Amino acid sequence: MLKPGVLNRRLVGEIISRMEKKGLKLVGLKMMQISPELASNHYAEHKEKPFFGELCSYITSAPVVAMVWQGDDCVTLVRKVVGATKPTEANPGTIRGDYCMHTNFNVIHASDSDASAEREIGLFFKKEEIFDWEDGISCWI
């Protein structure tokens, strides 16, 4: 998910391009305004943490771009492209390493496991909004 800062900084195309260039296949995409209830569900595992309110406030402050990607070992690969959660630990060349300065204004969310991805996709997408299309270049990557 591309967070509000990405839209405000006009980086949506740049970040989608990085995922595509890596060879991942985009199968779901939508721009949406997240409600406080959806934000609370999305960040449920952080509910008792002191930064929970900031997370929810930021993600509901402007539209986000929700995405679903496919690829071999997709979650691990996306996490490598995205970089470490803390900007000070994110390597240059990663999305967070190049575009993020503060953890509480992180530019992108990436699921941390297959189970999390499945749960999060279910929060943001209906089944009919996911398109498992035939990728003509899959034999080349």
Side-chain angles (χ1 to χ4, degrees), residues 47-106:
K47 214 166 211 148
E48 302 303 319
K49 296 178 181 164
F51 54 84
F52 176 76
E54 287 180 26
L55 284 174
C56 291
S57 178
Y58 176 51
I59 206 162
T60 59
S61 67
V64 301
V65 176
M67 301 176 292
V68 182
W69 294 93
Q70 279 184 353
D72 294 338
D73 204 11
C74 191
V75 170
T76 302
L77 192 57
V78 167
R79 298 285 296 181
K80 292 276 187 191
V81 172
V82 166
T85 302
K86 290 183 178 181
T88 56
E89 297 172 6
N91 291 326
T94 65
I95 292 168
R96 290 176 177 148
D98 291 348
Y99 300 114
C100 188
M101 288 186 61
H102 306 284
T103 303
N104 56 334
F105 291 113
N106 218 321

Side-chain angles (χ1 to χ4, degrees), residues 8 12 42 48 59 97:
N8 284 303
V12 172
H42 177 63
E48 302 303 319
I59 206 162

